Coordinates of all heavy atoms in Angstrom, one line a residue:
P1 N -30.5 -23.3 -19.5 CA -29.6 -23.7 -18.5 C -30.1 -24.7 -17.5 O -31.3 -24.7 -17.2 CB -29.4 -22.3 -17.8 CG -29.8 -21.3 -18.8 CD -30.9 -21.9 -19.6
I2 N -29.3 -25.6 -17.1 CA -29.7 -26.6 -16.1 C -29.3 -26.0 -14.7 O -28.2 -25.6 -14.4 CB -28.9 -27.9 -16.3 CG1 -29.3 -28.4 -17.7 CG2 -29.2 -28.9 -15.2 CD1 -28.5 -29.6 -18.1
I3 N -30.3 -26.0 -13.8 CA -30.2 -25.5 -12.5 C -29.5 -26.5 -11.6 O -29.9 -27.7 -11.6 CB -31.5 -25.1 -11.8 CG1 -32.2 -24.0 -12.7 CG2 -31.3 -24.6 -10.4 CD1 -33.6 -23.8 -12.3
T4 N -28.4 -26.2 -10.9 CA -27.7 -27.1 -10.1 C -28.4 -27.0 -8.7 O -28.7 -25.9 -8.2 CB -26.2 -26.8 -10.0 OG1 -26.1 -25.5 -9.4 CG2 -25.6 -26.9 -11.3
L5 N -28.5 -28.2 -8.1 CA -29.2 -28.3 -6.8 C -28.3 -29.0 -5.8 O -28.8 -29.7 -4.9 CB -30.5 -29.0 -6.9 CG -31.6 -28.2 -7.8 CD1 -32.8 -29.1 -7.9 CD2 -31.9 -26.9 -7.2
T6 N -27.0 -28.8 -5.9 CA -26.1 -29.6 -5.1 C -26.2 -29.2 -3.6 O -25.9 -30.1 -2.8 CB -24.6 -29.3 -5.5 OG1 -24.4 -27.9 -5.4 CG2 -24.4 -29.7 -7.0
L7 N -26.7 -28.1 -3.3 CA -26.7 -27.7 -1.9 C -27.5 -28.6 -1.0 O -27.1 -28.9 0.1 CB -27.1 -26.2 -1.8 CG -27.2 -25.6 -0.4 CD1 -25.9 -25.6 0.2 CD2 -27.8 -24.3 -0.4
L8 N -28.7 -29.0 -1.6 CA -29.6 -29.7 -0.7 C -29.7 -31.2 -1.1 O -30.7 -31.8 -0.7 CB -31.0 -29.0 -0.8 CG -30.9 -27.5 -0.3 CD1 -32.3 -26.9 -0.5 CD2 -30.4 -27.4 1.1
L9 N -28.8 -31.7 -1.9 CA -29.0 -33.0 -2.4 C -28.9 -34.0 -1.2 O -29.4 -35.2 -1.3 CB -27.9 -33.4 -3.4 CG -28.2 -32.7 -4.8 CD1 -27.0 -33.1 -5.7 CD2 -29.5 -33.2 -5.4
C10 N -28.2 -33.7 -0.2 CA -27.9 -34.6 0.9 C -28.9 -34.4 2.1 O -28.6 -34.7 3.2 CB -26.5 -34.5 1.4 SG -25.3 -34.9 0.1
G11 N -30.1 -33.8 1.8 CA -31.0 -33.5 2.9 C -30.7 -32.2 3.5 O -31.2 -31.1 3.1
S12 N -29.9 -32.2 4.6 CA -29.5 -30.9 5.2 C -28.5 -30.3 4.3 O -27.5 -30.9 3.9 CB -28.9 -31.2 6.6 OG -28.2 -30.0 7.1
G13 N -28.6 -28.9 4.1 CA -27.7 -28.2 3.2 C -26.3 -28.3 3.8 O -25.3 -28.4 3.1
L14 N -26.1 -28.2 5.1 CA -24.8 -28.2 5.7 C -24.0 -29.5 5.5 O -22.8 -29.5 5.4 CB -24.9 -27.9 7.2 CG -25.5 -26.6 7.6 CD1 -25.6 -26.5 9.1 CD2 -24.6 -25.5 7.1
S15 N -24.7 -30.6 5.3 CA -24.0 -31.9 5.2 C -23.5 -32.1 3.8 O -22.7 -33.0 3.5 CB -25.0 -33.1 5.4 OG -26.0 -33.1 4.4
A16 N -23.8 -31.2 2.8 CA -23.4 -31.3 1.5 C -22.1 -30.5 1.2 O -21.6 -30.5 0.1 CB -24.5 -30.9 0.5
Y17 N -21.6 -29.7 2.2 CA -20.5 -28.8 2.0 C -19.2 -29.7 1.8 O -19.0 -30.7 2.4 CB -20.3 -27.9 3.2 CG -21.4 -27.0 3.5 CD1 -21.6 -26.5 4.8 CD2 -22.4 -26.7 2.6 CE1 -22.6 -25.7 5.1 CE2 -23.4 -25.9 2.9 CZ -23.6 -25.4 4.2 OH -24.6 -24.6 4.5
P18 N -18.3 -29.2 0.9 CA -17.1 -29.9 0.7 C -16.2 -29.8 1.9 O -16.3 -28.9 2.7 CB -16.4 -29.1 -0.5 CG -17.0 -27.7 -0.4 CD -18.4 -28.0 0.1
A19 N -15.3 -30.8 2.0 CA -14.4 -30.8 3.2 C -13.3 -29.8 3.2 O -12.8 -29.4 4.2 CB -13.8 -32.2 3.3
E20 N -13.0 -29.3 2.0 CA -11.9 -28.3 1.9 C -12.2 -27.1 2.8 O -13.3 -26.5 2.8 CB -11.7 -27.9 0.4 CG -10.6 -26.9 0.2 CD -10.6 -26.5 -1.3 OE1 -10.9 -27.3 -2.1 OE2 -10.2 -25.3 -1.6
D21 N -11.1 -26.6 3.4 CA -11.3 -25.4 4.3 C -11.3 -24.2 3.5 O -10.3 -23.8 2.9 CB -10.1 -25.4 5.3 CG -10.3 -24.2 6.3 OD1 -11.3 -23.5 6.2 OD2 -9.4 -24.0 7.1
P22 N -12.5 -23.5 3.4 CA -12.5 -22.3 2.6 C -11.7 -21.1 3.1 O -11.5 -20.1 2.4 CB -14.0 -21.9 2.6 CG -14.5 -22.5 3.9 CD -13.7 -23.7 4.1
L23 N -11.2 -21.2 4.4 CA -10.4 -20.1 5.0 C -8.9 -20.3 4.9 O -8.2 -19.5 5.4 CB -10.8 -20.0 6.5 CG -12.3 -19.6 6.8 CD1 -12.5 -19.5 8.2 CD2 -12.7 -18.3 6.0
K24 N -8.5 -21.4 4.2 CA -7.1 -21.7 4.1 C -6.3 -20.5 3.5 O -5.1 -20.4 3.7 CB -6.8 -23.0 3.4 CG -7.1 -23.0 2.0 CD -6.7 -24.4 1.4 CE -7.0 -24.4 -0.1 NZ -6.6 -25.8 -0.7
T25 N -6.9 -19.7 2.6 CA -6.2 -18.6 1.9 C -6.7 -17.3 2.4 O -6.5 -16.3 1.7 CB -6.4 -18.7 0.4 OG1 -7.8 -18.7 0.1 CG2 -5.8 -20.0 -0.1
L26 N -7.4 -17.2 3.6 CA -7.9 -16.0 4.1 C -6.8 -14.9 4.3 O -5.8 -15.2 4.9 CB -8.6 -16.2 5.4 CG -9.2 -15.0 6.1 CD1 -10.4 -14.5 5.3 CD2 -9.6 -15.2 7.5

């Protein structure tokens, strides 16, 4: 398996988050 490292690819983990609102279906 290939480990994905998308979280920290942009330096700060928070800056890599998608723009979509995760609470839109809360």
Side-chain angles (χ1 to χ4, degrees):
I2 298 173
I3 301 169
T4 60
L5 297 174
T6 57
L7 179 61
L8 300 179
L9 288 178
C10 299
S12 166
L14 295 176
S15 66
Y17 300 158
E20 179 182 330
D21 182 4
L23 297 181
K24 68 179 183 179
T25 58
L26 179 70

